[in-house]
Amino acid sequence: MGVRDWELKRFHGEEISTHRGSTYNAYIVKDRRTALVDTVWTPFHESFVADLDREIGLRNVSLIVVNHTEQDHAGSLRYLMERIPDTPIYCTRNGLAMIEGHFHRKWNVNVVRTGDSVDLGDYRLVFVEMPMLHWPDSMATYVTGANVLLSNDAFGQHYVAPHLFNDEVDQAELWQEALKYYANILTPFSDLVKKKIDEIKSLGLPIDMIAPSHGVIWRDNPMQIVEKYAEWADGYHEGTVVVLYDTMWGATRKMAMAIARGVERKGLGARLINIGKSDRSDVMVEIFKARAVVLGSSTINRGLLADAAAVLEMMRGLRFKGKIGAAFGSYGWSGESPKVIEERLAEAGVELVAEALRVKHDPTEEDLRACESLGEKVADRISA
Ligand code: FEO
């Protein structure tokens, strides 16, 4: 059960771009007792509950599992519970607090911990707490007998496709969206991802399918996305340099291009991105893939251009691991931007490997040579 949201272009308010829409996957496990696992985002509550009623009949829902209380999965709960108010709900302790906080209702909520289970008949639901992956309340539900892991947000993609399973869809699209999802949502929790993967592997559960709450279901070699998460959680990069710049009249752009020339002279690839013209979630993907992040902005009002500042704020929150970098920028009179960028890169956990470069007005040939040297220095650090 679920919703294919072909129209969705922004998620978490306006924070994350979802160029290929998204889905809100809920699941029903049919057995002697029938379980509903998660619901869908609030705007779809009426059609979701109508679909559920048509599919199994609301009175046949024996229990509801709330793997996660974020509105994209629990948003239809209030409307559903108005129709079947006595139905038991299963969630984590933090889930209970969040259900109360969001819905202000007293329902029949049962708190579960890792290893707790509920028998449905032939199948049994086993719960696995996943705190901070990516909310304190998150958990996964494993269906014994069917060997399906209902992983909620983990292993998802903001991706709506005309098919349900990973082997049926365009692989380039699928992997782009899976990586973008990890980079923009799960990066801050990478240490927990590694631990949780080890824990799940050590349980030795047979897993025939991983069914997340966004995007397609992994049925063809489902462990491939688990292996990918282990790789992404471990200071992932592709050895490249990304040169990000925000520019008022083009001087900072000239510096960026010279820095990229320096990188390329050393035989490495550099990706140039004008932050002011780019989608920030896509920029995060390029930062995630890069080993080095060189970031520049013109100085305005003794600080940074707003798009550069926003990218640095996102980097601070996402805390990418194992990145090196440097700062640069042009100015007219006060020239604070490179220093501010250095401070914010350091705050985001980026190791600064070259002095910030500051150019007054338009760069001279000498200034551009200095920019090329900065590019070379960064490249040398990668190759060392
Ligand atoms: Fe897809 Fe954390 O909600």
Side-chain angles (χ1 to χ4, degrees):
M1 300 292 301
V3 166
R4 285 188 164 131
D5 192 349
W6 295 92
E7 291 186 3
L8 189 79
K9 294 297 167 205
R10 311 292 304 181
F11 186 77
H12 278 168
E14 301 299 312
E15 191 68 1
I16 297 177
S17 63
T18 53
H19 305 313
R20 296 188 173 99
S22 193
T23 73
Y24 320 108
N25 304 338
Y27 297 93
I28 47 179
V29 185
K30 288 183 181 172
D31 204 333
R32 284 195 280 288
R33 300 169 74 206
T34 292
L36 169 68
V37 181
D38 295 318
T39 69
V40 301
W41 187 28
T42 326
F44 299 96
H45 64 272
E46 280 187 28
S47 60
F48 171 72
V49 171
D51 287 349
L52 185 64
D53 196 21
R54 198 175 308 117
E55 184 67 25
I56 54 167
L58 293 184
R59 69 188 179 289
N60 294 319
V61 177
S62 307
L63 61 114
I64 300 167
V65 175
V66 176
N67 274 331
H68 178 32
T69 56
E70 198 165 4
Q71 284 85 337
D72 51 332
H73 308 297
S76 299
L77 205 52
R78 190 198 319 250
Y79 184 73
L80 177 62
M81 291 305 285
E82 281 167 6
R83 276 139 197 85
I84 47 172
D86 299 325
T87 311
I89 292 172
Y90 292 80
C91 66
T92 61
R93 180 159 299 286
N94 285 320
L96 169 60
M98 289 182 167
I99 284 174
E100 289 177 352
H102 282 116
F103 298 109
H104 313 292
R105 296 283 191 281
K106 290 287 177 201
W107 292 323
N108 175 9
V109 179
N110 300 268
V111 168
V112 296
R113 307 195 59 159
T114 295
D116 288 349
S117 64
V118 172
D119 264 315
L120 300 179
D122 292 333
Y123 300 123
R124 194 158 50 91
L125 305 181
V126 182
F127 305 111
V128 183
E129 291 171 278
M130 311 256 276
M132 294 317 295
L133 292 175
H134 67 127
W135 272 22
D137 65 321
S138 300
M139 73 170 183
T141 299
Y142 178 75
V143 189
T144 56
N147 303 343
V148 175
L149 181 68
L150 303 170
S151 59
N152 196 262
D153 279 334
F155 312 122
Q157 330 91 47
H158 286 308
Y159 177 38
V160 53
H163 303 286
L164 203 55
F165 297 105
N166 67 313
D167 51 292
E168 299 176 302
V169 301
D170 182 310
Q171 296 300 294
E173 287 184 356
L174 169 61
W175 284 106
Q176 260 180 24
E177 295 304 338
L179 183 143
K180 178 175 177 177
Y181 184 99
Y182 188 95
N184 278 278
I185 297 171
L186 289 162
T187 298
F189 313 111
S190 285
D191 289 344
L192 296 171
V193 169
K194 280 193 278 186
K195 276 194 204 138
K196 188 53 70 176
I197 286 175
D198 290 344
E199 184 188 318
I200 289 176
K201 278 184 173 170
S202 73
L203 296 175
L205 300 170
I207 295 179
D208 293 341
M209 245 184 239
I210 294 177
S213 55
H214 297 290
V216 298
I217 295 168
W218 303 89
R219 73 171 175 189
D220 174 46
N221 182 15
M223 291 309 282
Q224 64 181 306
I225 185 64
V226 179
E227 298 304 335
K228 233 357 147 184
Y229 265 44
E231 203 183 319
W232 290 338
D234 197 19
Y236 180 81
H237 67 78
E238 298 177 0
T240 54
V241 178
V242 63
V243 182
L244 305 167
Y245 62 94
D246 206 351
T247 187
M248 289 173 73
W249 294 106
T252 301
R253 178 190 296 109
K254 285 178 189 170
M255 295 178 75
M257 292 174 79
I259 291 166
R261 278 199 301 279
V263 172
E264 284 161 1
R265 192 170 292 148
K266 292 286 184 171
L268 294 185
R271 185 183 290 273
L272 276 161
I273 298 178
N274 181 329
I275 300 170
K277 293 178 186 290
S278 304
D279 177 285
R280 280 201 286 276
S281 311
D282 294 339
V283 169
M284 291 306 121
V285 168
E286 296 308 328
I287 293 171
F288 182 69
K289 293 197 290 192
R291 169 76 169 105
V293 183
V294 187
L295 197 148
S297 168
S298 323
T299 294
I300 185 169
N301 299 331
R302 310 187 74 180
L304 309 183
L305 290 172
D307 288 318
V311 160
L312 285 160
E313 172 59 15
M314 289 180 83
M315 288 178 70
R316 187 199 56 74
L318 290 172
R319 300 200 300 276
F320 297 104
K321 283 210 165 52
K323 307 293 181 199
I324 61 172
F328 64 98
S330 73
Y331 68 104
W333 50 99
S334 60
E336 289 87 348
S337 66
K339 182 89 183 97
V340 174
I341 293 168
E342 272 198 328
E343 287 166 7
R344 300 212 180 145
L345 284 175
E347 203 186 341
V350 176
E351 182 195 351
L352 299 168
V353 295
E355 288 271 309
L357 272 186
R358 213 166 71 119
V359 165
K360 191 166 187 178
H361 304 312
D362 207 47
T364 62
E365 283 304 312
E366 193 185 338
D367 291 330
L368 292 176
R369 275 196 296 279
C371 291
E372 289 174 2
S373 298
L374 185 149
E376 289 173 5
K377 205 168 185 176
V378 169
D380 283 344
R381 270 299 296 267
I382 293 176
S383 307

